[in-house]
Amino acid sequence: MTRFSTYLLILVFFCHSQSRLFSQKIGLVLSGGGASGMCHIGVIKALEENKIPIDYVTGTSIGGLIGAFYAIGYSPVEIEAIVKTYFFQSISKGDVPVKYEYMIKKRNDYAAWFTLKYNFKGDYLRNLPTNVINSVPIDYYLMEAFTGVSNRKNGNFDSLFVPFRCVAADVEAKKSVIFRNGDLSTAVRASMSYPFYLRPLSVDGKLLFDGGLYNNFPADVMLKDFNPDFIIGSNVAEKNAKPDEENLYLQLRSLLMSQTNFTPVCENGIIIEPWNEVTIFNFDDAQRLIDSGYVATLRRIPEIKKQIAANLNEVTLQKKREQYKSYRETREIVYTNVEVSGFNEKQSHFIQKSLFYHQTPFTLEQLKKRYFRLASDDKIKNIFPVTVLDTLTKTYTLKLAGKKEKPFYLEPGAIIANRPITGAFLGLQYNYLGRIGFSAYANGYLGKLTSGSYSHLRFDIPGKIPFFIEPSFTYSRWDYYSSSVLFYDFQKPAYLIQEDQFGDLKVGVPVGNISQFNVSGGLTQWKNQYYQTDVFTRYDTADVTFFDYWYVQANYRINTLNRKMYATEGMLLNARARYLQGNESYYPGSTSPDTTAFKNNPQLPWLQLKLTFDNYFKTFKRFRIGVFAEGVYSTQSFFNNYKSTILSAPAFNPTPESQTFFIDAYRAYNYMAGGLKVITSPFKNVDVRVEAYVFQPVNSIKEDATGRAYLTSPFLYHYFSGLATLVYHSPIGPVSLGVNYYDQNENSFSPFFHIGYIIFNKKSIE
């Protein structure tokens, strides 16, 4: 062999070797692991920065989600930005982001600890809840994120930016289901359906759960479907712990999950295992987890590069990303049809009318608000959206599959306190969904401070401008005794008993998503039994004042507060205008300086305007500032005596405990009030709150020597109140221990402990 022939042979061999090396295909396998899956982002980020190409991706559960983002062209930096947004943080907990909450469908706040949903037609096991969080925001988000690319690539996962596979679990067949094509958002959502946390998904007649049940590290899928030259695995799966007889979660986990082999499967491979010691559903430490994945990968880069000769072409990668960015665009998605399954004909009509106004085509962006409006209806259990492109007509159809909610709600609750305000609560509701929505609600309070009931019927009419009609009736009895004592004294009669019964008819419409406007009117009988002196015995009889009146009012309300008591985020704005007219009746008691009774004495009609504002601002980590303001203007005139006058005056009750006291000084016809709240959260679900308020009547209402009311000079008096409390937000409601301050009470400082929501049915006079 000549020297030339030898060189030629060496050159051919070298070129062949180089070709083999540089045509290496790299597969990335991403395990499941809940919130720990944020580590995968750091892994991808480190690989790209070190020019390690990723040619294929397979993933399970959260690994399927992160892998799908990468597979449709998102860079690791973009994925990192997505998971750190408030929107993503909200939906990961099942919360609808505030701007998409639909206040007109929001149920009123009561003292219920929780809601049990029941259907008497099924056995009791069918009434047990099957998931912890609301899947509606996640379902919509996945469709919005993936439907553009999925439809443009005709559901072919091999045609994505990076060929992709994800895994779900068919628990009936006891086997894994591998998604190679179809609707990408459906595939990812099925793979994420963690048992008892996120509801399972029905796909092609199979009920699918989280892929981690049977295959939490789909390296075998990678090898079988793509056969890469080298596999990089990112494993953040929760370590298998031994079942414990006292730990139900570990027992269920051991029963449900198969052992997964966390190895690359082929000879050439490496496993990266970042630090990931966070609870499985805690997405609050996203940045720390991303950094963990990034650092863990950097440590293995030298080892990876020893086995990989392929080099990432950044220019080609960027060009391809730009192309897929246009594929992700959803502006051109316009729906011309809506198909509904899982509901009967009348229910489907309600859903279509809620989304598809007058059969007019609508965009994906327009759908967003309509979808969350529909999903907020408490008569709908769930809906799952899929966008389907007709390749011939290039038109889009929105397919919705879902179920109506169970018809009966049972809501128990209680208030437990160190003061005699302890009481029980029970709420009941019946729901019906047809061409219109209908619900019937009733509740009852039973306690020493207040007892009574409230009921309403509600008719929800769908359409472009949906509205509701709500007739209601309320009866309540308030027994204000000496609220500073710790134990009720049955021998001492209460100095004030109020009875309130009224019927109301309300009509409301939405104003955007987070606010509503309603008008209402009603008839009321307001009865007060009281003493005009502090010196009385059990044998004395109280004075009685009746006020029978009718009213009309208009109300505008915004409410984005994150809790119904002790809120730390959001805003409340309530503006009300009320006109009322009625007759006063008076019957003197044995201690009254008045001896003349009268009946149906007309009161001058009056107008009342009231504005309440409550807003919270995040200052820095774990600290928030709240600002409260309230103002009332009224043309109200005096009643027969001071007591009956002050009883009908608007009250300033900014703190939970203040609702349970009757303090004259914090009542006036016209007033301005404001407060500042400082809140720190040293631990999850634990707040320390300090609140201070000032109450400034324009003219204070005082009592003269004859027992009549008179107005003082403007701004002559002002009064302070406040609280300092430690609050634990338990699953059944707040647990609070603190002290309240009132500068016009017998005992200015009032220690206060309670469990449950101090929320009562509204009074007609409020």
Side-chain angles (χ1 to χ4, degrees):
M1 183 181 291
T2 66
R3 181 177 294 182
F4 175 79
S5 299
T6 303
Y7 286 158
L8 182 61
L9 184 60
I10 293 172
L11 180 62
V12 170
F13 177 79
F14 178 79
C15 290
H16 175 74
S17 300
Q18 288 295 92
S19 174
R20 181 181 62 81
L21 288 171
F22 283 97
S23 64
Q24 277 182 312
K25 296 298 183 181
I26 315 302
L28 178 64
V29 181
L30 305 176
S31 78
S36 300
M38 298 296 102
C39 293
H40 296 324
I41 303 170
V43 171
I44 299 172
K45 186 177 180 181
L47 292 175
E48 279 207 358
E49 286 183 3
N50 286 274
K51 299 185 180 181
I52 308 296
I54 299 171
D55 299 294
Y56 314 107
V57 175
T58 61
T60 293
S61 193
I62 189 69
L65 175 63
I66 302 301
F69 275 126
Y70 191 76
I72 64 171
Y74 281 99
S75 71
V77 174
E78 289 173 321
I79 302 172
E80 180 178 354
I82 288 170
V83 301
K84 287 160 63 176
T85 60
Y86 176 76
F87 188 92
F88 186 89
Q89 294 289 323
S90 295
I91 66 170
S92 68
K93 300 170 186 174
D95 298 332
V96 176
V98 170
K99 65 181 292 187
Y100 295 108
E101 287 184 345
Y102 196 37
M103 187 184 164
I104 199 170
K105 294 291 181 72
K106 195 172 184 179
R107 302 178 70 214
N108 292 334
D109 293 334
Y110 300 106
W113 283 356
F114 50 82
T115 300
L116 298 172
K117 300 177 181 180
Y118 206 85
N119 187 347
F120 289 99
K121 292 183 179 179
D123 61 78
Y124 72 94
L125 288 176
R126 293 178 64 87
N127 291 294
L128 295 176
T130 58
N131 52 280
V132 174
I133 71 166
N134 176 16
S135 66
V136 165
I138 295 174
D139 296 345
Y140 184 86
Y141 176 72
L142 293 177
M143 183 198 73
E144 186 180 56
F146 297 119
T147 195
V149 176
S150 184
N151 278 291
R152 286 175 177 84
K153 293 300 177 180
N154 299 316
N156 184 351
F157 293 1
D158 286 336
S159 299
L160 300 177
F161 175 80
V162 172
F164 172 73
R165 300 287 187 268
C166 68
V167 180
D170 180 352
V171 294
E172 183 180 9
K174 301 292 188 296
K175 66 178 184 180
S176 292
V177 174
I178 302 168
F179 285 95
R180 298 180 172 91
N181 51 52
D183 180 66
L184 183 57
S185 61
T186 300
V188 173
R189 171 62 176 79
S191 184
M192 295 169 57
S193 302
Y194 197 90
F196 310 115
Y197 185 73
L198 194 60
R199 71 177 184 85
L201 204 61
S202 180
V203 181
D204 298 331
K206 300 174 183 177
L207 192 63
L208 301 184
F209 286 82
D210 191 293
L213 292 180
Y214 302 139
N215 190 350
N216 209 20
F217 188 71
D220 57 332
V221 177
M222 173 66 71
L223 189 63
K224 181 180 178 181
D225 280 30
F226 301 121
N227 192 26
D229 299 291
F230 192 83
I231 291 179
I232 300 172
S234 176
N235 175 30
V236 294
E238 188 178 11
K239 301 296 185 294
N240 289 327
K242 187 177 180 179
D244 187 324
E245 63 180 9
E246 302 295 332
N247 191 319
L248 179 61
Y249 169 73
L250 289 179
Q251 294 175 25
L252 291 172
R253 179 180 170 84
S254 298
L255 285 170
L256 293 172
M257 296 191 71
S258 301
Q259 292 294 325
T260 299
N261 181 21
F262 293 99
T263 61
V265 178
C266 65
E267 293 180 4
N268 297 323
I270 193 169
I271 297 288
I272 299 168
E273 295 188 303
W275 171 90
N276 63 315
E277 294 179 9
V278 296
T279 56
I280 195 166
F281 306 122
N282 180 13
F283 288 85
D284 296 333
D285 290 326
Q287 186 61 61
R288 188 180 180 189
L289 291 164
I290 293 168
D291 293 342
S292 173
Y294 181 79
V295 172
T297 306
L298 288 181
R299 293 193 187 105
R300 307 298 295 275
I301 288 296
E303 186 179 348
I304 294 172
K305 285 190 171 183
K306 284 181 181 180
Q307 302 181 66
I308 295 178
N311 203 14
L312 182 66
N313 188 319
E314 293 182 351
V315 175
T316 303
L317 182 73
Q318 190 56 37
K319 283 183 179 179
K320 194 175 180 182
R321 279 227 167 97
E322 287 300 319
Q323 183 183 29
Y324 270 80
K325 188 174 182 179
S326 66
Y327 292 161
R328 298 198 303 264
E329 183 58 61
T330 58
R331 282 180 297 181
E332 70 174 47
I333 296 179
V334 177
Y335 298 100
T336 58
N337 189 31
V338 176
E339 296 179 5
V340 181
S341 61
F343 300 88
N344 65 32
E345 182 181 352
K346 291 181 179 179
Q347 295 161 357
S348 298
H349 177 271
F350 179 92
I351 291 170
Q352 288 182 322
K353 197 170 181 182
S354 298
L355 299 173
F356 202 12
Y357 308 149
H358 310 299
Q359 303 295 302
T360 302
F362 57 95
T363 66
L364 182 62
E365 183 57 35
Q366 289 173 319
L367 169 66
K368 197 168 193 174
K369 285 188 177 182
R370 300 179 192 183
Y371 177 86
F372 283 115
R373 286 180 180 183
L374 175 66
S376 67
D377 196 302
D378 56 7
K379 292 170 282 296
I380 293 176
K381 183 176 183 178
N382 59 68
I383 49 175
F384 184 80
V386 175
T387 297
V388 179
L389 171 65
D390 187 321
T391 54
L392 294 176
T393 63
K394 301 300 180 184
T395 58
Y396 289 87
T397 295
L398 176 66
K399 293 188 175 183
L400 293 173
K403 289 183 178 181
K404 70 180 182 69
E405 187 53 272
K406 296 180 180 70
F408 295 97
Y409 287 4
L410 177 67
E411 298 182 317
I415 302 168
I416 302 170
N418 65 316
R419 286 190 33 243
I421 64 169
T422 295
F425 171 86
L426 182 64
L428 299 169
Q429 182 167 313
Y430 169 74
N431 297 318
Y432 172 80
L433 183 63
R435 287 184 172 267
I436 66 171
F438 168 77
S439 62
Y441 175 82
N443 73 30
Y445 285 84
L446 180 62
K448 294 177 180 178
L449 173 63
T450 181
S451 297
S453 65
Y454 164 80
S455 60
H456 75 236
L457 303 176
R458 175 166 169 143
F459 304 88
D460 288 289
I461 293 83
K464 187 174 183 179
I465 304 178
F467 64 96
F468 71 86
I469 301 171
E470 185 179 285
S472 66
F473 178 79
T474 305
Y475 168 80
S476 59
R477 183 178 188 273
W478 292 78
D479 194 348
Y480 292 97
Y481 37 79
S482 182
S483 297
S484 62
V485 298
L486 293 178
F487 301 97
Y488 185 70
D489 184 354
F490 288 91
Q491 304 304 312
K492 183 177 180 180
Y495 86 93
L496 170 62
I497 296 175
Q498 295 182 320
E499 289 187 50
D500 187 19
Q501 47 189 333
F502 64 98
D504 181 272
L505 179 62
K506 182 185 297 181
V507 178
V509 296
V511 183
N513 261 45
I514 62 173
S515 60
Q516 67 159 288
F517 174 78
N518 62 67
V519 293
S520 61
L523 296 171
T524 299
Q525 183 180 82
W526 179 248
K527 177 184 177 183
N528 291 297
Q529 301 177 65
Y530 54 90
Y531 292 95
Q532 296 189 56
T533 175
D534 293 331
V535 181
F536 53 85
T537 71
R538 76 179 73 175
Y539 304 107
D540 289 319
T541 58
D543 295 17
V544 180
T545 293
F546 289 93
F547 184 42
D548 302 308
Y549 66 94
W550 60 267
Y551 67 89
V552 292
Q553 73 175 34
N555 199 90
Y556 174 74
R557 185 176 179 88
I558 299 174
N559 186 2
T560 63
L561 297 180
N562 64 328
R563 297 189 180 104
K564 57 184 180 181
M565 246 187 89
Y566 297 122
T568 56
E569 297 177 15
M571 179 186 75
L572 169 71
L573 174 66
N574 195 84
R576 186 188 72 193
R578 168 182 279 195
Y579 177 85
L580 61 85
Q581 184 172 2
N583 299 318
E584 179 188 8
S585 301
Y586 173 70
Y587 302 92
S590 59
T591 64
S592 174
D594 304 319
T595 57
T596 305
F598 60 84
K599 186 176 182 180
N600 294 330
N601 183 33
Q603 271 280 333
L604 292 175
W606 73 76
L607 173 70
Q608 184 189 89
L609 305 177
K610 184 175 183 180
L611 179 67
T612 303
F613 176 75
D614 191 13
N615 197 16
Y616 296 86
F617 305 92
K618 187 173 183 179
T619 53
F620 48 93
K621 190 174 183 180
R622 300 189 184 281
F623 278 89
R624 293 184 182 272
I625 298 293
V627 177
F628 184 90
E630 188 169 275
V632 171
Y633 168 79
S634 176
T635 61
Q636 183 175 348
S637 56
F638 292 146
F639 278 58
N640 177 62
N641 55 60
Y642 168 77
K643 284 291 186 182
S644 56
T645 297
I646 203 71
L647 288 170
S648 65
F652 178 60
N653 295 318
T655 63
E657 192 200 36
S658 64
Q659 302 175 67
T660 69
F661 281 124
F662 191 95
I663 306 175
D664 294 10
Y666 297 98
R667 290 173 171 260
Y669 289 159
N670 301 282
Y671 69 78
M672 298 172 289
L676 190 66
K677 312 174 190 182
V678 179
I679 306 161
T680 180
S681 304
F683 308 104
K684 185 178 181 180
N685 295 324
V686 175
D687 297 333
V688 178
R689 304 174 67 98
V690 178
E691 305 178 15
Y693 301 92
V694 60
F695 175 70
Q696 178 61 72
V698 177
N699 304 99
S700 296
I701 303 173
K702 294 294 183 179
E703 183 178 11
D704 65 17
T706 65
R708 307 292 179 181
Y710 73 93
L711 296 177
T712 67
S713 302
F715 307 108
L716 186 60
Y717 299 98
H718 54 263
Y719 309 106
F720 297 95
S721 63
L723 70 83
T725 186
L726 175 69
V727 182
Y728 168 61
H729 300 280
S730 78
I732 62 171
V735 179
S736 174
L737 174 63
V739 61
N740 292 263
Y741 172 79
Y742 312 93
D743 68 359
Q744 289 296 311
N745 201 15
E746 288 183 8
N747 299 309
S748 294
F749 290 96
S750 169
F752 191 46
F753 167 78
H754 75 89
I755 300 173
Y757 296 99
I758 303 180
I759 300 174
F760 306 105
N761 290 329
K762 297 293 185 184
K763 298 178 182 179
S764 64
I765 207 73
E766 290 180 347

